[in-house]
Amino acid sequence: MISSIKNYIKTYISIRYGLGGALFLGVLVFGINYYDSGNTSGALAAALKQSAYTFIFGGYVSALCERFTSKGKFILGVLIPTAIAIIATYTVHSLKGTPNPELSTVPTLIFAPLGFLFIAFNKRKELKRSSNS
């Protein structure tokens, strides 16, 4: 039972990229909220929520990118996860009542394609190394 759960998670969530994104964005969100309010517990709560969301969702779209790239569909491996990330970011900000959801989506518009290009190139390089071995 536990091994099947681990296999499911490894298939659908990239632990490496999920944790990396969660750590990066968690620290960033903590810093922004602490700087804005000076409230440690509020900043920590925001950081933990962002980290959990990023680990699960970011890990999922990163694994999706890797799966497409593994099947030789490099462009789709970048475009589909990018589109999902942009739509999800805009939707979350719209539903939460963010004053300007469009402006809040701009960082995702910039960094998602670059991030997924990085992941796809890494996966392709990893696949080439394993095929040469």
Side-chain angles (χ1 to χ4, degrees), residues 30-63:
F30 177 84
I32 290 168
N33 283 282
Y34 183 76
Y35 176 78
D36 186 47
S37 69
N39 179 348
T40 304
S41 61
L44 185 59
L48 290 173
K49 283 191 252 180
Q50 180 66 53
S51 293
Y53 168 80
T54 302
F55 173 73
I56 293 168
F57 186 74
Y60 168 74
V61 290
S62 297

Side-chain angles (χ1 to χ4, degrees), residues 55-79:
F55 173 73
I56 293 168
F57 186 74
Y60 168 74
V61 290
S62 297
L64 185 64
C65 175
E66 289 182 313
R67 283 196 309 277
F68 273 113
T69 303
S70 294
K71 294 177 181 177
K73 298 177 180 180
F74 185 87
I75 299 298
L76 287 178
V78 174
L79 293 178

Side-chain angles (χ1 to χ4, degrees), residues 93 97-102 104:
H93 283 288
T98 302
N100 191 340
E102 293 85 6
S104 297

Side-chain angles (χ1 to χ4, degrees), residues 1-43:
M1 171 77 173
I2 292 177
S3 67
S4 64
I5 292 171
K6 284 182 183 178
N7 287 335
Y8 180 83
I9 290 172
K10 283 183 181 180
T11 301
Y12 293 103
I13 296 178
S14 171
I15 304 296
R16 171 177 46 174
Y17 294 120
L19 282 176
L23 180 64
F24 175 73
L25 287 176
V27 169
L28 185 66
V29 166
F30 177 84
I32 290 168
N33 283 282
Y34 183 76
Y35 176 78
D36 186 47
S37 69
N39 179 348
T40 304
S41 61

